[in-house]
Amino acid sequence: MTGGGRGLGRAVAWRLAAEGASVVVADLNAEDLEHTVAGSPVEGAVRAVVADCARADGIQSVLDACAALGGVADALVNNAAVLSGGLVTEVTEDEIERVLRVNTMGPMLATTAFAGRLVAAGAPGSVVSIASTTAHIASLPALSTYAASKGAVLAYTRAAAVDLARYGIRINAVSPGWIRTDMTSNLGDERDAPLLRRIPMRRPADPSEVAAAVAWLLSDDSAYVTGTSVAVDGGWLAY
Ligand SMILES: NC(=O)c1ccc[n+]([C@@H]2O[C@H](COP(=O)([O-])OP(=O)(O)OC[C@H]3O[C@@H](n4cnc5c(N)ncnc54)[C@H](O)[C@@H]3O)[C@@H](O)[C@H]2O)c1
């Protein structure tokens, strides 16, 4: 699990731990990781690794930590991402590079490394990448860089599913709409009302509601599902 220090990543870690999984959470922020570990519903089920999940060596250190638990990791959640605001006319080269590195290259590098180890072991597995409604519709102004980074995640999910199916490895995406987390807490109240009008259920998601979809896609209950995305958005994309 990348980006497991807070927000949705933390909720997914706790959900999987409650279902009996051994979970390795990786994040840049050691202090946040401590809270994820300490709050696990099952003591000892969640372990933390401080790692940059946008870099291949960081990803390898996370997979090494999984291997140290005995056996190869059988599930990967590509959750780490950064939000980026700014009009098309304002965005800088550095910002585009930063966002694509974390939000798009990170999941691609992690999936390649994860699948490589599974193929070598002859074992099946499942990947879930967290996309966004911004991968499907513009959603909000001034989010073009972020939207592009998430759109690429969906395209990658479809194409990678084709390559990985022969090895018994599934890959899907979840597209949340608005989740109440630290990532969105600074959007400001003035954005809340217009946003809520576009969401038929008239509320943001609790992180646990998105975690439930991730858990389903990782489980054998979705054994015939690959290369697709599940929107968890209170009806936003339907409206
Ligand atoms: N919050 C929302 O409304 C919303 C909506 C749609 C999609 N999403 C997506 O859901 C996922 C989780 O979002 P969130 O709201 O929990 O965000 P968040 O900002 O609260 O948490 C993201 C976590 O990722 C970590 N992270 C960032 N870069 C990293 C890196 N290079 N290596 C390791 N860890 C790194 C951060 O330290 C942080 O702990 C993201 O992919 C986000 O794009 C969120």
Side-chain angles (χ1 to χ4, degrees):
M1 150 82 56
T2 71
R6 65 183 200 182
L8 176 58
R10 176 179 287 171
V12 172
W14 289 353
R15 167 77 193 225
L16 297 177
E19 290 185 358
S22 288
V23 186
V24 173
V25 284
D27 205 289
L28 295 169
N29 190 313
E31 208 178 310
D32 283 350
L33 282 172
E34 276 173 29
H35 291 298
T36 300
V37 169
S40 169
V42 179
E43 210 182 319
V46 179
R47 291 167 183 80
V49 179
V50 177
D52 184 350
C53 297
R55 304 273 159 193
D57 56 352
I59 293 292
Q60 291 297 350
S61 70
V62 180
L63 292 173
D64 288 346
C66 296
L69 295 176
V72 64
D74 61 0
L76 167 69
V77 181
N78 289 313
N79 167 78
V82 287
L83 187 63
S84 171
L87 294 171
V88 168
T89 45
E90 294 165 348
V91 74
T92 63
E93 182 178 352
D94 283 352
E95 181 64 356
I96 292 172
E97 211 160 270
R98 180 183 81 96
V99 173
L100 293 183
R101 164 61 71 174
V102 179
N103 297 9
T104 309
M105 282 188 69
M108 293 168 70
L109 292 169
T111 302
T112 291
F114 167 78
R117 291 190 187 214
L118 278 179
V119 171
S126 181
V127 181
V128 174
S129 298
I130 308 302
S132 163
T133 46
T134 62
H136 305 259
I137 57 170
S139 299
L140 288 167
L143 281 183
S144 63
T145 310
Y146 179 80
S149 75
K150 293 296 189 176
V153 167
L154 286 193
Y156 178 78
T157 298
R158 290 188 288 269
V162 174
D163 287 2
L164 294 175
R166 74 196 72 181
Y167 303 112
I169 302 170
R170 298 185 296 113
I171 175 166
N172 292 287
V174 167
S175 289
W178 176 16
I179 321 167
R180 190 73 88 175
T181 66
D182 292 312
M183 179 180 268
T184 48
S185 62
N186 63 353
L187 284 182
D189 289 346
E190 75 279 4
R191 273 209 183 176
D192 284 12
L195 202 55
L196 286 175
R197 274 199 296 276
R198 300 177 59 192
I199 300 173
M201 290 182 71
R202 295 284 190 269
R203 65 173 178 86
D206 185 83
S208 64
E209 294 174 302
V210 184
V214 176
W216 175 70
L217 283 170
L218 291 179
S219 77
D220 287 343
D221 284 346
S222 61
Y224 197 57
V225 180
T226 196
T228 195
S229 65
V230 175
V232 184
D233 64 350
W236 191 345
L237 289 180
Y239 194 25

